[in-house]
Amino acid sequence: MAGLCLAFAYIAGAVTEGDTGSFDRRVRLLFRVPGNPAQTIGPPWLTETMRT
């Protein structure tokens, strides 16, 4: 349990400092249509679920 808490603290610190920005962008683009980042991949309900 202590290891999980330390891992969470490390990741939270990295996110807060902005160190994960490039990784986050790559993951977001995985769920977009190649060549058109404004359009998401998947059924319409998935977009609404992620927005909520």
Side-chain angles (χ1 to χ4, degrees):
M1 189 65 156
L4 290 174
C5 288
L6 286 173
F8 176 79
Y10 174 76
I11 292 170
V15 169
T16 304
E17 293 174 2
D19 295 339
T20 61
S22 63
F23 173 76
D24 294 339
R25 179 171 166 73
R26 277 186 254 157
V27 170
R28 280 194 316 266
L29 289 176
L30 284 174
F31 296 99
R32 303 291 178 160
V33 173
N36 185 5
Q39 185 178 4
T40 57
I41 294 175
W45 62 264
L46 182 60
T47 303
E48 289 300 318
T49 301
M50 298 309 288
R51 189 176 318 175
T52 304

